[in-house]
Amino acid sequence: MARTFDRPDGTAVPQTLTHLDRLEAESIHILREVVAEAARPVMLYSVGKDSAVMLHLAKKAFYPSLPPFPLLHVDTTWKFQAMYALREKAARDAGMDLLIHQNPAALERGINPFDHGSLHTDMWKTEGLKQALDEHGFDVAFGGARRDEEKSRAKERIFSFRSATHGWDPKNQRPELWNLYNARKAKGESIRVFPISNWTELDIWQYIHLHNIEIAPLYFSAKRPTYNWDGQLFMADDIDRLQRVLGHRPDIVERSIRFRTLGCFPLTGAIESEARTLPEIIQEMLLTTTSERQGRVIDRGDGDASMEKKKREGYF
Amino acid sequence: MAETLPHSSAYQTDALIASDIDAYLVQNQNKSLLRFITCGSVDDGKSTLIGRLLYDSKLIFDDQLAALEADSARIGTQGQAIDFALLVDGLAAEREQGITIDVAYRFFATEKRKFIVADTPGHEQYTRNMITGASTADLAVILVDARKGILTQTRRHSIIAHLVGVRNLVLAVNKMDLIDYDQARYDAIVADYRAFATSIKIAAFTPIPISGFKGDNVTTPSPNLPWYAGPTLMAHLETADFDATVAQSKPFRMPVQWVNRPNLDFRGFSGLIAAGTVKPGDAVRVLPSGKATSVARIVTMTGDLETGVAAQSVTLTFTDEIDCSRGDVVVAADDPPEVADQFEATIIWLADDAMLPGRPYWLKLGTQLVSATVQPPKYQTNVNTMEQLAAKTFELNAIGVANFSTDKPIVFEAYADSRTLGGFILIDKITNATMAAGMIHFALRRSHNVHRQATDVGRETHAALKNQTPRLLWFTGLSGSGKSTIANEVEKRLNLMNRHTFLLDGDNIRHGLNKDLGFTDADRIENIRRVGEVAKLMTDAGLIVLTAFISPFRVERDMVRTMMPEGEFIEIFVDTPLAVAEARDVKGLYKKARAGTLKNFTGIDSPYEPPEQPEIRVNTVEMTPVEAAEFIIRQVMPLK
């Protein structure tokens, strides 16, 4: 609730907005601009903490209406079970349609992160996303990316223009002045819009804390079955499936772990932690010496421009 | 030499985080947010400075530092030392070339403030990306290489920062280590800049000597600069005075983004409050219509507000059912902004294609989107001397002043009073590219004082008296395609059928009304605009008008289309392949054009954009002019 304090002479005392108030207002403005100008928008929903905040902002932006677009989850079949459970609940609570897309070619070939390396991301996520957008004819897709995540993200516009083949041309981005967004495009072209571009990881956590936003329990520490792979700690979310793909049953050890980001369970490194509350998570994040994406296997191995390369090819 | 600081405790309160996270969260939540840019010429050390700020503020994590050290050794430009620029130059092309192409946004915080810093490119070629960063900044750090002093880009960036309204300027004289921390040379650079700043009416700036590479005076006072008594750069950023609440003291303004209609009982108007405050019961007007009402509720998901203030996103409901939609602006009833269709503005041209006076562009201002044309420039500014130069057009990175006219009145304020209602972009109607940024000065007097005179005998009466339906038959095609011949045949037939017609022919009009126009793109556009206006007057008089002009550009043909009532503009594409038209060469013009004695000839060295969906298309290879005319007559009749 806004507070009002009037001076004795009747003039209002300026109301100070916190940086989170300002970020929230900016994100809501962006969400509404898209809905006003796009023919067929969609919100990419990945079940992570950033998606949770973006979804919450969408509810606020259009209240008392429901957000006038569906949610789209580009699935790899390798997400954590807890993520699938939250995905259904979050869509239901928001009163929004949930579309789920799994790349049929990847499904048929049984693409998995153990045998197929970077092909796993390429086919399930990059190709899967392009297929889903084309199939439904979505012309604008909201994504929960933040500029503080990665160097090429730091360079991206809030309205990021894509060619008819979903390519991104980082050397030739449209100027983006003030909060005036040029959402005009030719048939076949599309725009990826990032409403939380200017939020930091700390802002996201603090907002979740302040507004009591539901996030996957995987962010909180608990005793979970883990295994070591390639020198990193992972959670054995589906032990039988792991065994089928690996051809052997990995050594499972129960540990107190949690996750800083969420993706495919065989690609998302866990951290050993005792943080069981939001303030404890924030405390741990602020005192850590490694970056958020450090646990993401997807970002490693392709040199320092791997994210940019993926984005040019159509990855979110 | 300043030591490379270990992760400085000046930034993050590690002790508080460790001992009392809840207290830290409360403290962090109430920090103010400062957005600033770093700008200046190539190699003045912008990226290095930001890398240094991030490093010193403990925002470089171990895994990133390891990658940075490896990159520095491999492709860095600082020998064996860490090349901080590699932290921010995130695009592959930037790292390969060692330059900054696009603006990068980085984030850091101290105990007092949160910062969003936009690192902007120094190359003139990428000025449009610098402007993108500057448009949202509260403060600009203008870097100067102490060895080089004030350069063209220093001046250009200062002018742009000043133009877009950044009032808090810092002159960071960088690389002091490379001039042995010499006070005399520092003082000379500051004096130089002061003279320049005064000339462009920059009232004040804060000079600070630093070394981004060595860390001098960035976050801690440097022992190498004993003669300097002012604040470090960081201390200045933390305390720089900018009033985030100043917009609240202005009259209420809210551009409507979206009409919120969840059901028949609720009709709300959603938007970001641009200025002022609003309470239930406040008297407001909806512009441009001017209809008055009052605010019933300020709706948000977490409950109705007692007061809405500038920079909040809200949904308003009114006490009356009045017409209001996207593009309208809700304003304080007793203090409305301008509504006009002509204004003067400063413009920064951002596109490779030059500005074409008279060409219609989309103009987006707030949530308003209208068609607008730019008059020939009043002047262009020389960024070195601040001289006002005569100009026929604006090319990439040009800064100048021109008058604008829009196809319907828009709601605006001077940019000096409101970034939201005074700043606009121009968008190309065909490519959808963002062509320019503009900042409005004021409405032109004539847009207030020239009103349309209502006449008693209207266009319907004129047409009824002639017993016909007015039409504009617009023939377009290459020179020598047969436009005039076919149009002449069509007019002859219409006259035999007792229709009142008039044929406007390109060559004839250029002997009279348009004798002052040549064949440049700008003149071609003005040619078509005038013909369109004349044709419109003639259809108002009830006539069936035929025009035969090459009219090579799609945008201008569409401009004439939108001037006419729906359905009255009939575009007739006289489709003749270039080779056929050139072989005919009735007037010998193609020969001259090929020989190079005739410039800007359509089809040879000036483009022709064929219609995408003409109402009528005639193929003059397959049809004779008479057949084509009969075909057209069959399509357009009866015209009663």
Side-chain angles (χ1 to χ4, degrees):
Chain A
M1 283 294 281
R3 304 138 295 170
T4 53
F5 306 103
D6 284 353
R7 296 191 178 105
D9 65 357
T11 59
V13 172
Q15 192 173 312
T16 308
L17 301 180
T18 68
H19 70 273
L20 282 178
D21 293 335
R22 285 175 186 275
L23 287 171
E24 178 189 77
E26 176 186 84
S27 300
I28 289 174
H29 174 257
I30 293 163
L31 287 155
R32 289 170 174 171
E33 280 301 285
V34 169
V35 163
E37 297 214 358
R40 216 168 140 61
V42 67
M43 177 170 281
L44 300 185
Y45 178 73
S46 73
V47 208
K49 63 183 190 306
D50 302 308
S51 283
V53 167
M54 184 167 64
L55 177 58
H56 184 82
L57 292 165
K59 292 189 223 171
K60 281 197 146 180
F62 303 101
Y63 177 86
S65 295
L66 298 176
F69 43 79
L71 298 171
L72 169 66
H73 184 227
V74 179
D75 188 21
T76 66
T77 73
W78 285 95
K79 303 291 177 189
F80 292 90
Q81 292 308 311
M83 292 171 71
Y84 292 119
L86 178 59
R87 176 181 76 181
E88 311 296 329
K89 180 172 187 297
R92 209 169 43 241
D93 289 352
M96 296 166 74
D97 287 336
L98 171 68
L99 307 170
I100 296 160
H101 183 85
Q102 298 173 345
N103 179 355
L107 201 59
E108 193 184 327
R109 288 176 58 185
I111 300 294
N112 69 70
F114 300 99
D115 300 327
H116 303 106
S118 66
L119 197 62
H120 174 78
T121 298
D122 184 51
M123 286 196 68
W124 282 116
K125 296 174 85 174
T126 308
E127 287 308 311
L129 173 61
K130 291 198 245 179
Q131 285 169 357
L133 296 180
D134 289 344
E135 196 175 295
H136 296 278
F138 293 124
D139 61 337
V140 176
F142 293 111
R146 307 187 324 262
R147 283 169 170 162
D148 76 329
E149 277 178 84
E150 200 271 340
K151 276 184 290 200
S152 66
R153 295 269 194 229
K155 296 262 166 181
E156 194 160 9
R157 299 281 188 262
I158 291 172
F159 278 52
S160 186
F161 190 78
R162 301 301 162 104
S163 69
T165 55
H166 302 281
W168 179 52
D169 182 2
K171 280 169 74 177
N172 198 20
Q173 301 193 79
R174 284 179 177 172
E176 193 169 87
L177 286 103
W178 304 294
N179 57 0
L180 272 182
Y181 305 105
N182 175 2
R184 301 189 70 82
K185 58 200 173 312
K187 210 169 153 45
E189 295 167 341
S190 62
I191 301 179
R192 310 272 169 95
V193 174
F194 306 105
I196 56 170
S197 284
N198 286 328
W199 296 54
T200 64
E201 189 183 6
L202 177 58
D203 296 330
I204 293 287
W205 281 119
Q206 190 139 26
Y207 192 78
I208 289 171
H209 185 42
L210 278 173
H211 295 270
N212 208 12
I213 296 169
E214 184 173 10
I215 52 170
L218 297 160
Y219 287 111
F220 300 94
S221 176
K223 292 265 190 218
R224 297 186 169 103
T226 68
Y227 65 98
N228 258 295
W229 185 53
D230 218 10
Q232 221 172 349
L233 194 61
F234 293 91
M235 174 176 164
D237 194 50
D238 185 341
I239 299 173
D240 295 337
R241 191 176 182 190
L242 273 177
Q243 187 171 2
R244 274 202 307 281
V245 172
L246 290 173
H248 66 91
R249 197 177 176 84
D251 294 333
I252 307 289
V253 181
E254 187 138 295
R255 288 187 176 92
S256 254
I257 56 158
R258 62 176 206 91
F259 299 86
R260 285 181 76 185
T261 63
L262 295 180
C264 295
F265 74 82
L267 290 174
T268 308
I271 51 171
E272 291 198 73
S273 162
E274 297 298 334
R276 289 166 208 281
T277 65
L278 280 167
E280 282 168 12
I281 288 174
I282 297 171
Q283 185 175 39
E284 193 172 271
M285 181 202 93
L286 289 171
L287 297 175
T288 186
T289 55
T290 56
S291 74
E292 180 183 12
R293 297 199 75 88
Q294 197 258 347
R296 288 286 194 105
V297 178
I298 171 179
D299 292 344
R300 292 184 284 149
D302 288 339
D304 49 43
S306 72
M307 177 66 89
E308 180 187 346
K309 185 167 161 289
K310 287 191 188 75
K311 287 167 67 67
R312 295 173 80 116
E313 291 161 358
Y315 179 71
F316 212 76
Chain B
M1 295 269 285
E3 289 286 290
T4 298
L5 294 167
H7 292 144
S8 159
S9 58
Y11 290 83
Q12 298 272 3
T13 31
D14 282 8
L16 183 59
I17 292 168
S19 65
D20 189 349
I21 183 67
D22 292 319
Y24 170 80
L25 288 176
V26 171
Q27 180 208 68
N28 185 58
Q29 197 187 319
N30 291 313
K31 286 174 188 169
S32 58
L33 174 66
L34 179 82
R35 293 183 188 229
F36 72 97
I37 55 168
T38 53
C39 54
S41 196
V42 185
D43 292 333
D44 283 350
K46 296 177 293 298
S47 301
T48 304
L49 175 66
I50 292 183
R52 163 66 63 177
L53 288 170
L54 295 176
Y55 182 76
D56 284 356
S57 65
K58 209 201 155 184
L59 279 166
I60 314 296
F61 295 108
D62 289 354
D63 52 320
Q64 293 170 331
L65 193 60
L68 177 64
E69 279 166 356
D71 286 353
S72 298
R74 192 162 51 86
I75 48 174
T77 57
Q78 305 292 342
Q80 286 308 302
I82 289 179
D83 184 354
F84 288 111
L86 294 174
L87 275 175
V88 272
D89 288 337
L91 300 176
E94 296 179 323
R95 296 158 78 86
E96 282 159 15
Q97 299 173 50
I99 58 167
T100 306
I101 292 174
D102 212 329
V103 55
Y105 296 89
R106 304 303 302 234
F107 306 80
F108 64 97
T110 68
E111 277 185 42
K112 300 194 177 94
R113 260 189 189 159
K114 298 199 59 134
F115 299 93
I116 300 179
V117 50
D119 178 29
T120 67
H123 286 85
E124 181 176 351
Q125 184 187 353
Y126 304 118
T127 299
R128 62 178 168 207
N129 297 332
M130 181 268 168
I131 295 167
T132 292
S135 69
T136 53
D138 306 306
L139 178 149
V141 177
I142 294 163
L143 271 97
V144 176
D145 184 334
R147 295 169 303 172
K148 299 181 192 155
I150 312 300
L151 303 174
T152 306
Q153 281 298 82
T154 322
R155 284 187 278 265
R156 172 181 286 274
H157 284 179
S158 300
I159 289 169
I160 291 172
H162 186 63
L163 263 183
V164 301
V166 181
R167 290 290 165 262
N168 211 321
L169 297 181
V170 175
L171 180 75
V173 181
N174 193 23
K175 307 193 184 183
M176 286 300 294
D177 54 315
L178 298 181
I179 60 161
D180 297 324
Y181 305 98
D182 181 349
Q183 182 180 6
R185 287 177 69 182
Y186 168 79
D187 287 343
I189 290 169
V190 173
D192 232 16
Y193 190 80
R194 180 159 290 125
F196 161 74
T198 309
S199 76
I200 62 166
K201 301 188 175 66
I202 291 177
F205 66 94
T206 307
I208 303 177
I210 62 164
S211 166
F213 179 58
K214 299 283 187 192
D216 295 289
N217 227 2
V218 177
T219 56
T220 44
S222 168
N224 300 312
L225 297 159
W227 45 266
Y228 173 77
T232 62
L233 178 61
M234 180 52 77
H236 181 72
L237 292 175
E238 281 188 318
T239 54
D241 198 23
F242 77 103
D243 190 354
T245 59
V246 71
Q248 291 183 24
S249 60
K250 296 182 175 178
F252 177 69
R253 311 280 185 248
M254 189 190 87
V256 174
Q257 286 186 278
W258 187 69
V259 180
N260 197 334
R261 295 219 68 180
N263 54 55
L264 292 174
D265 301 327
F266 186 93
R267 188 154 160 268
F269 305 93
S270 300
L272 179 66
I273 300 175
T277 61
V278 64
K279 290 179 182 187
D282 281 0
V284 291
R285 274 178 205 285
V286 175
L287 296 182
S289 74
K291 292 203 180 70
T293 182
S294 60
V295 174
R297 297 171 57 197
I298 306 165
V299 179
T300 78
M301 192 169 85
T302 45
D304 283 12
L305 302 183
E306 290 167 29
T307 309
V309 302
Q312 276 182 323
S313 283
V314 296
T315 296
L316 302 181
T317 64
F318 299 144
T319 51
D320 306 282
E321 284 276 325
I322 62 164
D323 202 27
C324 181
S325 57
R326 177 172 170 84
D328 290 340
V329 186
V330 185
V331 305
D334 56 354
D335 200 348
E338 291 272 7
V339 179
D341 62 1
Q342 293 184 57
F343 56 82
E344 185 193 90
T346 292
I347 190 163
I348 307 176
W349 200 256
L350 306 172
D352 292 327
D353 292 337
M355 187 272 276
L356 289 173
R359 160 161 293 191
Y361 297 98
W362 291 121
L363 181 150
K364 190 174 183 189
L365 185 154
T367 58
Q368 305 171 83
L369 185 76
V370 295
S371 188
T373 55
V374 194
Q375 305 303 307
K378 291 187 166 175
Y379 61 84
Q380 180 174 335
T381 301
N382 178 326
V383 294
N384 273 317
T385 60
M386 289 309 287
E387 263 182 298
Q388 297 179 356
L389 307 173
K392 287 207 150 88
T393 180
F394 294 124
E395 293 181 341
L396 179 65
N397 296 326
I399 299 171
V401 170
N403 286 344
F404 289 70
S405 52
T406 55
D407 67 342
K408 52 186 175 211
I410 57 167
V411 184
F412 64 85
E413 288 184 283
Y415 184 80
D417 297 327
S418 167
R419 284 192 191 187
T420 307
L421 286 178
F424 63 87
I425 54 172
L426 294 181
I427 301 169
D428 186 279
K429 288 195 169 185
I430 302 286
T431 66
N432 296 315
T434 302
M435 306 301 281
M439 286 145 286
I440 295 181
H441 301 169
F442 46 76
L444 298 186
R445 262 244 196 83
R446 62 176 179 252
S447 70
H448 294 303
N449 297 335
V450 181
H451 297 283
R452 290 200 179 272
Q453 186 66 44
T455 49
D456 288 333
V457 181
R459 68 193 324 265
E460 287 76 17
T461 318
H462 288 131
L465 201 61
K466 296 185 177 64
N467 193 25
Q468 65 181 26
T469 313
R471 281 285 181 278
L472 171 53
L473 306 183
W474 188 278
F475 292 76
T476 173
L478 293 169
S479 174
S481 61
K483 295 179 300 298
S484 297
T485 312
I486 297 170
N488 191 45
E489 281 297 327
V490 171
E491 188 180 29
K492 276 189 345 204
R493 277 163 180 24
L494 288 171
N495 271 299
L496 288 173
M497 293 183 272
N498 291 322
R499 298 301 191 281
H500 300 258
T501 61
F502 196 87
L503 172 59
L504 292 165
D505 183 83
D507 288 345
N508 297 348
I509 294 282
R510 280 187 177 276
H511 281 115
L513 178 64
N514 289 355
K515 69 194 290 183
D516 57 324
L517 299 177
F519 290 89
T520 62
D521 285 354
D523 281 359
R524 284 177 189 275
I525 290 167
E526 176 61 12
N527 185 39
I528 296 307
R529 188 193 69 80
R530 290 187 199 171
V531 171
E533 292 287 357
V534 170
K536 183 170 187 303
L537 290 175
M538 287 182 164
T539 56
D540 283 349
L543 293 175
I544 296 165
V545 183
L546 304 89
T547 64
F549 294 82
I550 298 173
S551 47
F553 304 130
R554 223 170 270 148
V555 180
E556 281 69 52
R557 296 192 301 263
D558 285 347
M559 170 177 72
V560 179
R561 182 188 290 275
T562 55
M563 281 160 53
M564 305 293 297
E566 181 87 30
E568 280 195 17
F569 180 86
I570 309 289
E571 189 173 28
I572 302 170
F573 179 27
V574 182
D575 188 2
T576 304
L578 179 62
V580 175
E582 189 168 355
R584 289 178 191 157
D585 206 3
V586 188
K587 300 168 201 161
L589 297 173
Y590 282 97
K591 210 165 150 193
K592 284 190 197 166
R594 289 288 183 197
T597 56
L598 187 58
K599 292 284 176 210
N600 298 325
F601 194 74
T602 302
I604 307 296
D605 58 350
S606 182
Y608 179 78
E609 300 168 358
E612 280 170 338
Q613 288 178 310
E615 274 76 9
I616 300 173
R617 180 177 164 277
V618 291
N619 182 324
T620 66
V621 178
E622 290 164 8
M623 297 180 196
T624 66
V626 171
E627 285 167 354
E630 279 170 0
F631 177 74
I632 292 165
I633 292 282
R634 279 201 303 277
Q635 305 286 312
V636 299
M637 290 309 275
L639 297 182
K640 286 216 177 188

